[in-house]
């Protein structure tokens, strides 16, 4: 099936005759030249010039137009044979014959095969014609024979009667008016077909260039407008088809007049032309309908998408509001009633949220249906479905979590109430026991029974369960509830202690005979004074008791001292352990080792060295398994049928320079580390010696994003599954491809640990080795950011070394520009990522991009650059020590820059190391001045190198540093 563009191009490229019948309709009606449809013996078209009294008076232009038009009607095959000209001058004179021949010879546009002249019938003029044709034959300049005929019977000897009209003694039916009518109708239909094709082409172009709207109403309006335009064009097509069908019927009706009637060749060509135009029109309609169906489907899908996005925004706002309400709902209650009220509010919120959650789930389900229906905006719909389900899950999980916490809190508060009620009942019982009755053995035994019964009620009421609940739910409970639990448990312990003392006293009284004494009853409303709490020995003892309470709930619980204390204990081996107890804010205990023996430090160094070597061996083994089990198998012919097409010829992309890393560690680095097993102090020298080889990790990390994209495309293929099965690996290849990135980070951690326990020999080399590894990690990190720069037309390698990069808030404060724009710029900072090179300072805009639905990866779009040779810096901006000012070309361009917190911290560490090295740690300056000092030094060095022609990479004179330090401080 042809496309609409292909069909329309065919129609538009057709050769439309430049001259139409309607253009010369008046000249055709004069009938001084006819194309009756007859053919010569070899199929040559016959043009007849009948008797016409005013032939010599016909203007030359009219004659040329008519003859040109008549010669253009037959097919190219027929016209190439040549035309047969019949000139009927039987009633005319020789002068008329001569004029006709001269005009035809001078202006006939087609090929001539034969010229037949019916000479004048009168004797005188016939004789003159015979003489004239002999004398003037060469004057006519015709290369074809001119035959002078005396009668129609002579004419029939050259042309069959069936190809001649009745005026020439033939049987060919010809009606000149009908012929003109058919010609104009056919040509009008051809023009209609071309016009319709042009309209369809313009409409198709408009549809393809139309941008889809971003809202529901505009999409509806566009769909309605395009549908109306389509319907109008359909009506135009129907009218054209009706016109062509009617014309075809008229032509066929002429052939059906009688059984013996046959269409002449010209009429057959007319029939073929109309049928061909109808077929083209039909193909155009079919192709247009196919194109329209696709466009209409896209518009309907666009409308579905806009409805989906609108509903998504509404549901998302509702969900966010519910989530905010849920987040703001407190989970801290100070009593049973308060917690029950919070639970009731939470339940009410859940019931209120249920319709919205169901609506969100239904909307996500609707999005799934759109995806399954092959919607064109799948990449836009799927994240929204995921987001809706995520928010619903977050709400449900958060509600469940809060319900769980409140339920546990309710159990705790109910337990506290039980304990408090039991304690109050116990105090009342102790206060209500009459002292005089207890002096007798019988009274003491009765009181003792009451005491024992009350103590047994503690187990019946499961009062000890409060301690278990506290230990079980301690992680999710608030500090206030924990304090209340501890107070309740402490009160219960005090009451139990009072009962135990009373129990001992009553036991003693019941065991011995006592003489009667004068009883003195206490006041019934009074209660005995609460015995003072025991003073706990130390925080360490309290912590130990708390640890024992976890295993035995019957023991007493001690409260930690809320104040900050410092207890110092002497441990074995001369190690001083300093235990710092935080303030009441809930801080944890920190143990700081302040002193160790040389033997202990040596043991730690050997332990770290052993771990470094063992992990290095394991690392090499893992790399070897990757190289043999994956890398080599990619060229194994037995597994070639399992390799996905997207992985062909991309082994270097997936693995990067991993072979180079493996060779370095297997043949060189592992052996050198093993040589340091007995002398850990040499490990720093080992790293420094291989400083250049360790740079291979920079290339590997730069290739890692490309490797991850390729893995996402082909990671689930049968090839990798088969390789993993052979290696018996629990993890897939992508986990092992992260090993080099993890290893280079592991080095710096182990070097730091080694440095902590090193003194004397090898310490300086360790410090330098650690700085080297950190520089490699920084270089890798900077290069990973640098390769994400887009839109910079120059060559980054020509800008010099990348010294620093990071995110900033940037304001513009140029001299030039509208004052309102300038004022507005001061209050609206731009988020820019700056790259500081030796020669250039680049301003870029950070963008987050999504790759195949995976994690966002940053890119940096180039915006502006400043040449460092023309840059100046102002340390503070109008007293604001959080900002500094970079200006260009004598303050023609001014940029106010504020450093982001994370980047400032990184710069702080680097500048602090520099100042510490230069000043011995004695210089203390403000945080922002560290960064200003660094920039100031760099700009000053640049200017000095330009002024005095120093090499940029040369050693910096110390007086320059001191000068910059004095300027900054």
């Amino acid at each position: 099936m042809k496309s609409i563009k292909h069909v329309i191009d065919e129609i538009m490229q057709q050769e439309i005759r430049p001259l139409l019948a309607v253009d010369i309709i008046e000249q055709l009606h004069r009938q001084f030249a006819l194309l009756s449809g007859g053919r010569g013996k070899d199929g040559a078209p016959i043009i007849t010039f009948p008797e016409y009294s005013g032939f010599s008076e016909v203007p030359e232009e009219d004659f040329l137009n008519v003859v040109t038009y008549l010669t253009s009607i037959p097919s190219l095959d027929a016209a190439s044979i040549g035309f047969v000209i019949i000139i009927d001058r039987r009633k005319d004179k020789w002068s008329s014959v001569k004029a006709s021949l001269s005009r035809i010879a001078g202006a006939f546009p087609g090929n001539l095969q034969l010229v037949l002249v019916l000479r004048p019938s009168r004797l005188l003029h016939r004789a003159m014609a015979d003489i004239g044709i002999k004398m003037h034959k060469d004057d006519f300049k015709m290369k074809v024979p001119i035959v002078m005929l005396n009668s129609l019977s002579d004419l029939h000897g050259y042309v069959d009667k069936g190809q001649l009209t009745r005026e020439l003694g033939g049987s060919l039916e010809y009606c000149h008016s009908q012929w003109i009518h058919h010609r104009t109708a056919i040509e009008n239909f051809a023009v209609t077909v071309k016009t319709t094709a042009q309209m369809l082409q313009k409409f198709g172009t408009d549809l393809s260039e139309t941008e889809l709207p971003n809202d529901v109403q505009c999409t509806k309006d566009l769909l309605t407008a395009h549908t109306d335009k389509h319907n109008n064009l359909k009506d135009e097509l129907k009218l054209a088809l009706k016109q062509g069908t009617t014309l075809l019927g008229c032509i066929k009706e002429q052939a059906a007049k009688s059984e013996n009637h046959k269409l002449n060749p010209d009429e057959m060509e007319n029939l073929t032309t109309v049928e061909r135009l109808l077929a083209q029109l039909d193909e155009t309609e079919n192709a247009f309908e196919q194109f329209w169906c696709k466009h209409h489907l896209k518009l309907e899908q666009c409308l579905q998408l806009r409805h989906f996005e609108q509903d998504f925004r509404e549901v998302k706002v509702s969900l966010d509001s519910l989530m905010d309400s849920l987040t703001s709902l407190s989970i801290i209650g100070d009593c049973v009633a308060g917690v029950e009220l919070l639970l009731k509010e939470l339940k009410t919120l859940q019931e209120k949220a249920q319709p919205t959650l169901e609506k969100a789930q239904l909307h996500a389900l609707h999005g799934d249906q759109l995806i399954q229906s092959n919607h064109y905006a799948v990449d836009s719909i799927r994240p929204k479905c995921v987001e809706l389900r995520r928010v619903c899950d977050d709400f449900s999980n958060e509600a469940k979590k809060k319900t769980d916490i409140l339920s546990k809190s309710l159990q705790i508060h109910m337990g506290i109430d039980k304990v408090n009620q039991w304690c109050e009942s116990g105090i009342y019982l102790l206060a209500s026991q009459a002292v005089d009755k207890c002096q007798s053995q019988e009274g003491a035994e009765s009181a003792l029974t009451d005491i024992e019964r009350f103590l047994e009620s503690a187990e019946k009421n499961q009062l000890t369960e409060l301690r278990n609940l506290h230990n079980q739910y301690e992680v999710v409970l608030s500090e206030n509830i924990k304090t209340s639990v501890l107070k309740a448990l402490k009160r219960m312990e005090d009451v139990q202690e009072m009962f135990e003392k009373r129990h001992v006293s009553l036991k003693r009284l019941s065991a011995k005979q006592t003489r009667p004494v004068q009883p003195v009853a206490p006041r019934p409303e009074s209660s005995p004074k609460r015995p003072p709490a025991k003073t706990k020995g130390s925080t360490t003892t309290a912590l130990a008791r708390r640890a024992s309470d976890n295993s035995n709930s019957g023991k007493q619980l001690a409260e930690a001292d809320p104040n900050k204390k410092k207890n110092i204990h002497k441990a074995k081996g001369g190690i001083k352990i300093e235990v710092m107890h935080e303030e009441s804010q809930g801080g944890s205990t920190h143990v700081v080792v302040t002193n160790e023996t040389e033997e202990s430090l040596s043991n730690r160094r050997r332990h770290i060295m052993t771990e470094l070597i063992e992990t290095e061996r394991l690392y090499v083994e893992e790399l070897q398994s990757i190289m043999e089990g994956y890398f080599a198998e990619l060229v194994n012919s037995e597994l070639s049928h399992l390799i996905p097409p997207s992985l062909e010829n991309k082994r270097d992309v997936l693995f990067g320079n991993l072979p180079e890393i493996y060779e370095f560690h297997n043949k060189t680095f592992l052996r050198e580390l093993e040589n340091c097993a007995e002398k850990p102090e040499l490990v720093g020298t080992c790293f420094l010696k291989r400083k250049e080889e360790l740079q291979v990790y920079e290339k590997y990390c730069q290739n890692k994003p490309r490797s991850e994209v390729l893995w996402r495309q082909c990671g689930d293929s049968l090839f990798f599954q088969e390789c993993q099965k052979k290696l018996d690996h629990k993890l897939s290849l992508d986990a092992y491809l992260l090993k080099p990135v993890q290893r280079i980070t592991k080095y710096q951690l182990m070097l730091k640990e080694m440095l902590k326990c090193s003194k004397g020999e090898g310490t300086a080399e360790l410090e330098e080795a650690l700085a080297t590894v950190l520089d490699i990690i920084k270089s890798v990190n900077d290069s990973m950011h640098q390769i994400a720069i887009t839109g910079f037309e120059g060559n980054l390698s020509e800008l010099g070394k990348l010294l620093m990069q990071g995110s900033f808030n940037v304001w513009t404060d140029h001299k030039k520009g509208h004052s309102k724009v300038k004022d507005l710029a001061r209050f609206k900072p731009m988020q820019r990522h700056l790259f500081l090179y030796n020669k250039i300072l680049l301003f870029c805009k950070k963008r987050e991009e999504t790759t195949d639905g995976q994690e966002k990866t940053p890119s940096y779009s180039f915006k502006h650059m400043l040449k460092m040779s023309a840059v100046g810096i102002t340390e503070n901006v109008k007293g604001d020590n959080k900002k500094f000012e970079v200006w260009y070309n004598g303050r023609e361009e001014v940029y106010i820059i504020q450093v982001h917190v994370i980047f400032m911290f990184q710069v702080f560490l680097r500048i602090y190391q520099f100042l510490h090295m230069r000043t011995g740690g004695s210089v203390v300056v403000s945080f922002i001045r560290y960064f200003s000092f660094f920039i100031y030094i760099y700009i000053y060095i640049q200017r000095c190198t330009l002024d005095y022609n120093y090499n940029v990479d040369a050693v910096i004179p110390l007086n320059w540093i001191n000068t910059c330090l004095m300027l900054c401080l």
Side-chain angles (χ1 to χ4, degrees):
M1 185 64 68
K2 297 180 180 179
S3 65
I4 181 173
K5 186 177 185 303
H6 184 65
V7 174
I8 291 176
D9 288 343
E10 284 184 354
I11 297 175
M12 300 299 295
Q13 292 173 4
Q14 290 175 359
E15 181 182 356
I16 304 299
R17 295 180 177 88
L19 195 60
L20 303 178
V22 69
D23 300 329
I24 56 172
I25 190 70
E26 185 176 321
Q27 291 89 329
L28 291 175
H29 276 295
R30 296 182 189 175
Q31 301 187 45
F32 58 84
L34 304 175
L35 184 68
S36 61
R39 293 289 190 269
K41 291 181 179 180
D42 51 359
I46 298 175
I47 295 179
T48 305
F49 291 87
E51 291 285 348
Y52 186 75
S53 58
F55 183 80
S56 58
E57 299 176 0
V58 175
E60 189 66 22
E61 182 180 357
D62 292 349
F63 174 81
L64 182 61
N65 287 338
V66 170
V67 174
T68 301
Y69 177 73
L70 293 180
T71 55
S72 66
I73 293 175
S75 65
L76 293 177
D77 293 337
S80 63
I81 298 174
F83 289 86
V84 175
I85 303 299
I86 300 177
I87 305 174
D88 187 5
R89 293 296 181 263
R90 289 174 293 174
K91 299 180 181 180
D92 214 332
K93 303 176 182 178
W94 160 244
S95 59
S96 176
V97 174
K98 181 181 178 182
S100 299
L101 290 173
S102 299
R103 175 170 282 187
I104 292 171
F108 193 84
N111 295 329
L112 286 174
Q113 187 189 71
L114 181 63
V115 178
L116 302 175
V117 182
L118 285 172
R119 68 179 78 188
S121 58
R122 283 177 286 183
L123 185 60
L124 178 61
H125 293 288
R126 179 178 296 181
M128 292 178 64
D130 291 338
I131 297 171
I133 195 65
K134 292 179 180 179
M135 293 178 61
H136 300 283
K137 184 176 182 179
D138 295 334
D139 297 338
F140 297 140
K141 297 180 182 179
M142 291 187 182
K143 297 181 180 179
V144 297
I146 302 174
V147 181
M148 303 297 293
L149 304 174
N150 295 323
S151 63
L152 293 177
S153 58
D154 294 340
L155 176 62
H156 297 160
Y158 289 91
V159 181
D160 187 78
K161 288 184 177 182
Q163 302 299 323
L164 297 174
T165 60
R166 293 181 179 179
E167 288 78 6
L168 297 177
S171 59
L172 180 65
E173 294 185 1
Y174 175 78
C175 177
H176 189 65
S177 60
Q178 186 180 38
W179 181 87
I180 293 176
H181 175 71
H182 283 178
R183 291 305 308 168
T184 54
I186 292 171
E187 291 169 357
N188 286 338
F189 180 57
V191 172
T192 301
V193 171
K194 182 177 180 180
T195 303
T196 305
Q198 290 174 337
M199 294 170 60
L200 293 178
Q201 185 180 40
K202 184 178 184 305
F203 182 56
T205 302
D206 293 340
L207 295 185
S208 61
E209 294 177 353
T210 300
E211 293 185 0
L212 298 179
N214 293 324
D215 60 277
V216 174
Q217 189 58 46
C218 291
T219 305
K220 286 182 177 178
D221 295 341
L222 183 64
L223 181 59
T224 302
H226 283 189
T227 303
D228 293 340
K229 184 72 173 178
H230 164 261
N231 293 336
N232 293 335
L233 289 175
K234 282 285 290 183
D235 294 338
E236 295 288 340
L237 277 170
K238 289 179 180 179
L239 288 176
L241 286 171
K242 184 177 180 181
Q243 179 184 353
T245 304
T246 303
L247 179 59
L248 185 63
C250 293
I251 296 175
K252 290 183 178 180
E253 182 180 0
Q254 183 178 357
K257 288 181 179 179
S258 63
E259 296 181 356
N260 298 328
H261 182 76
K262 294 182 179 180
L263 295 177
N264 61 52
D266 286 349
E267 291 174 338
M268 288 297 298
E269 287 184 4
N270 291 341
L271 179 64
T272 303
T273 299
V274 174
E275 289 177 344
R276 177 174 53 80
L277 291 173
L278 282 172
Q280 289 179 349
L281 203 57
D282 185 65
E283 284 187 3
T284 302
E285 182 181 17
N286 293 336
F288 174 71
E289 279 304 309
Q290 289 182 3
F291 174 80
W292 167 251
C293 287
K294 293 180 181 178
H295 180 74
H296 188 260
L297 176 62
K298 189 171 184 179
L299 286 179
E300 288 182 338
Q301 289 184 343
C302 179
L303 184 59
Q304 292 173 347
L305 177 62
R306 299 304 174 235
H307 277 297
F308 178 83
E309 291 174 341
Q310 180 176 319
D311 295 340
F312 169 80
R313 287 191 292 268
E314 294 174 359
V315 173
K316 185 66 166 56
V317 169
S318 301
L319 287 175
D320 291 342
S321 176
L322 290 171
M323 199 67 191
D324 292 340
S325 301
L326 180 62
T327 304
S328 61
L329 184 65
S330 176
I331 56 174
I332 301 175
D334 53 358
C335 61
V336 173
V339 176
E340 289 178 343
L341 180 61
L342 291 175
L343 279 170
K344 184 178 180 181
E345 291 178 358
L346 180 58
K347 185 178 180 181
T348 302
L349 180 61
Q350 287 179 291
E351 293 174 353
K352 176 184 176 182
Q354 193 60 33
T356 303
L357 294 176
E358 292 176 356
K359 184 177 180 181
Q361 293 290 353
L362 288 175
H363 195 59
L365 183 61
H366 176 57
D368 293 340
Q369 294 173 352
L370 292 178
I371 293 173
Q372 293 174 2
S373 64
N374 296 324
H375 197 284
Y376 72 90
V378 171
D379 293 338
S380 175
I381 297 173
R382 182 177 286 112
K384 292 180 175 60
C385 295
V386 173
E387 176 67 8
L388 289 176
R389 291 192 172 96
R390 184 194 64 78
V391 177
C392 289
D393 292 341
D394 290 348
F395 182 90
S396 300
N397 294 335
E398 185 67 16
K400 183 179 179 181
K401 178 182 177 182
K402 289 201 170 188
T403 302
D404 181 61
I405 294 175
L406 288 173
S407 300
K408 293 175 179 178
S409 179
L410 181 61
Q411 295 181 42
I412 293 290
H413 279 293
M414 292 176 67
I416 292 173
D417 288 350
K418 280 185 179 182
V419 169
N420 288 334
Q421 290 173 6
W422 183 81
C423 291
E424 291 173 1
S425 300
I427 293 172
Y428 180 80
L429 175 62
L430 293 176
S432 62
Q433 286 183 339
V435 176
D436 56 337
K437 293 182 179 181
C438 295
Q439 298 301 317
S440 63
Q441 184 176 6
E442 181 180 357
E445 290 177 352
S446 176
L448 186 62
T449 302
D450 293 338
I451 293 294
E452 292 174 348
R453 187 183 298 114
F454 185 79
L455 289 175
E456 291 175 358
S457 68
E459 296 181 0
K460 292 181 180 179
N461 293 330
Q462 297 180 345
L463 298 182
T464 56
E465 186 67 17
L466 178 61
R467 191 184 307 276
N468 296 333
L469 291 175
H470 172 265
N471 295 335
Q472 184 179 354
Y473 302 154
E474 185 177 7
V475 178
V476 298
L477 296 179
S478 64
E479 292 298 325
N480 291 334
I481 296 179
K482 292 178 183 178
T483 303
S484 300
V485 171
L486 295 177
K487 288 182 179 179
L489 292 175
K490 183 65 173 63
R491 186 180 184 187
M492 186 175 69
E493 290 174 0
D494 292 341
V495 172
Q496 285 177 337
E497 187 177 356
M498 293 166 60
F499 268 84
E500 289 174 358
K501 290 182 179 180
R502 179 67 63 87
H503 185 271
V504 172
S505 299
L506 291 175
K507 274 282 189 181
R508 191 183 305 117
L509 288 173
S510 64
K512 65 180 181 177
Q513 298 294 330
T514 58
R515 63 183 180 84
V517 295
Q518 182 67 32
V520 180
R523 297 176 62 181
E525 67 272 15
S526 66
S527 60
K529 292 183 180 180
R530 184 171 181 173
K534 293 183 178 180
T535 304
K536 310 303 175 185
S538 67
T539 303
T540 306
T541 307
L543 292 175
R545 181 174 297 175
R546 179 175 298 179
S548 66
D549 284 345
N550 291 332
S551 59
N552 184 4
S553 61
K555 295 183 180 180
Q556 293 182 349
L557 181 68
E559 295 180 347
D561 189 354
N563 298 323
K564 184 176 181 180
K565 295 182 179 180
K566 180 184 295 185
N567 299 325
I568 301 177
H569 307 277
K570 288 290 182 178
K572 292 182 179 181
I575 301 176
K576 182 188 292 185
I577 302 177
E578 182 179 274
V579 183
M580 299 296 297
H581 302 283
E582 299 293 334
E583 297 291 344
S584 57
Q585 284 78 8
S588 59
T589 301
H590 301 278
V591 180
V592 182
V593 179
T594 59
N595 190 18
E596 285 189 80
T597 63
E598 180 59 33
E599 181 181 359
S600 175
L601 292 174
S602 177
N603 291 335
R604 287 179 59 191
R605 286 196 297 271
R606 283 196 297 270
H607 175 73
I608 295 171
M609 194 66 221
T610 301
E611 182 183 359
L612 177 59
I613 294 173
E614 290 300 325
T615 55
E616 184 71 12
R617 289 171 182 165
L618 180 60
Y619 177 51
V620 171
E621 290 176 1
E622 290 173 337
L623 293 182
Q624 182 180 3
S625 68
I626 297 173
M627 297 304 299
E628 296 177 356
Y630 289 100
F631 189 85
E633 291 297 319
L634 280 173
V635 294
N636 186 353
S637 58
E638 295 180 359
L639 297 178
S640 59
H641 64 284
L642 298 179
I643 299 176
S646 57
L647 190 59
E648 292 183 2
N649 300 323
K650 292 185 179 179
R651 186 171 68 166
D652 293 338
V653 175
L654 183 61
F655 293 93
N657 62 330
L658 192 65
E660 184 180 359
I661 295 175
Y662 170 67
E663 288 295 320
F664 165 65
H665 285 272
N666 183 43
K667 295 182 178 180
T668 305
F669 202 57
L670 175 58
R671 296 178 182 178
E672 293 184 355
L673 289 178
E674 289 174 342
N675 294 334
C676 300
E678 299 300 327
K679 294 183 178 181
E681 61 272 10
L682 300 179
V683 69
T685 305
C686 180
F687 274 89
L688 291 177
K689 181 180 178 182
R690 299 302 171 184
K691 177 179 178 180
E692 297 298 328
E693 287 89 337
L694 287 171
Q695 299 292 333
V696 295
Y697 282 92
E698 180 175 347
K699 182 179 179 181
Y700 184 82
C701 293
Q702 288 177 350
N703 180 69
K704 198 68 179 68
R706 297 174 60 207
S707 174
E708 291 174 350
V709 171
L710 182 58
W711 172 257
R712 287 195 291 270
Q713 295 174 357
C714 59
D716 56 352
S717 65
L718 294 176
F719 171 77
F720 291 111
Q721 295 176 12
E722 184 66 22
C723 292
Q724 183 178 350
K725 183 179 179 181
K726 287 183 178 180
L727 292 170
D728 196 22
H729 282 180
K730 295 181 179 180
L731 300 177
S732 57
L733 173 62
D734 59 326
Y736 288 92
L737 291 178
L738 281 173
K739 295 292 183 180
V741 182
Q742 297 167 345
R743 189 59 184 169
I744 192 65
T745 307
K746 183 71 172 178
Y747 286 146
Q748 59 101 4
L749 295 177
M750 288 189 170
L751 288 174
K752 286 180 180 178
E753 292 299 320
M754 183 71 76
L755 194 57
K756 289 180 182 178
C757 56
S758 297
K759 295 181 180 179
E761 183 182 359
T763 303
E765 288 79 3
L766 272 176
E767 291 179 349
E768 190 174 352
L770 176 59
T772 298
V773 175
L774 290 175
D775 285 341
I776 293 173
I777 296 175
K778 176 185 177 296
S779 178
V780 168
N781 182 54
D782 289 345
S783 64
M784 292 294 289
H785 287 276
Q786 181 178 345
I787 63 175
I789 297 176
T790 61
F792 182 71
E793 296 181 355
N795 188 354
L796 293 175
S797 61
E798 297 177 356
L799 305 184
K801 183 180 179 181
L802 177 60
L803 302 175
M804 191 173 294
Q805 52 81 27
S807 298
F808 298 83
N809 289 331
V810 179
W811 292 261
T812 58
D813 192 16
H814 304 332
K815 292 180 180 179
K816 299 180 181 179
H818 198 275
S819 60
K820 292 185 178 180
V821 176
K822 180 179 178 182
D823 294 338
L824 182 63
R826 293 176 181 271
F827 297 100
K828 290 188 176 181
M830 299 177 291
Q831 302 298 320
R832 291 292 182 261
H833 201 93
L834 270 60
F835 292 85
L836 180 60
Y837 293 88
N838 279 335
K839 301 178 181 179
I840 294 293
L841 178 62
L842 290 186
F843 289 75
C844 299
K845 184 174 182 180
K846 185 176 181 180
R847 303 182 185 276
E848 300 287 347
E849 299 177 354
T850 301
T851 306
D852 298 332
Q854 300 296 322
E855 296 180 356
K856 293 182 176 179
T857 56
S859 65
Y860 304 98
S861 178
F862 170 74
K863 293 297 182 182
H864 190 54
M865 70 176 183
L866 302 177
K867 293 183 178 179
M868 293 306 299
S869 58
V871 167
I873 186 171
T874 303
E875 181 181 351
N876 291 331
V877 179
K878 297 181 180 179
D880 188 350
N881 59 2
K882 296 180 180 179
K883 302 174 183 176
F884 63 94
E885 192 177 67
V886 172
W887 41 269
Y888 190 67
N889 279 346
R891 303 188 69 84
E892 180 180 344
E893 298 180 23
V894 180
Y895 300 91
I896 300 173
I897 300 177
Q898 183 177 26
V899 189
H900 285 184
V901 175
I902 297 176
F903 184 68
M904 288 175 68
F905 181 71
Q906 297 170 349
V907 174
F908 169 79
L909 294 179
R910 291 188 172 279
I911 302 304
Y912 181 79
Q913 292 172 355
F914 174 80
L915 291 177
H916 185 80
M917 178 182 67
R918 289 294 185 183
T919 63
S922 61
V923 175
V924 180
V925 293
S926 64
F927 182 77
I928 188 62
R929 289 186 178 223
Y930 284 126
F931 183 75
S932 301
F933 171 65
F934 181 85
I935 298 296
Y936 211 107
I937 287 177
Y938 179 71
I939 295 173
Y940 190 84
I941 292 171
Q942 285 293 320
R943 290 184 173 177
C944 291
T945 55
L946 291 174
D947 293 343
Y948 299 106
N949 296 321
Y950 282 109
N951 187 352
V952 176
D953 296 327
V955 179
I956 304 171
L958 183 60
N959 61 332
W960 289 0
I961 301 297
N962 295 334
T963 302
C964 293
L965 185 61
M966 295 303 297
L967 289 172
C968 191
L969 302 180

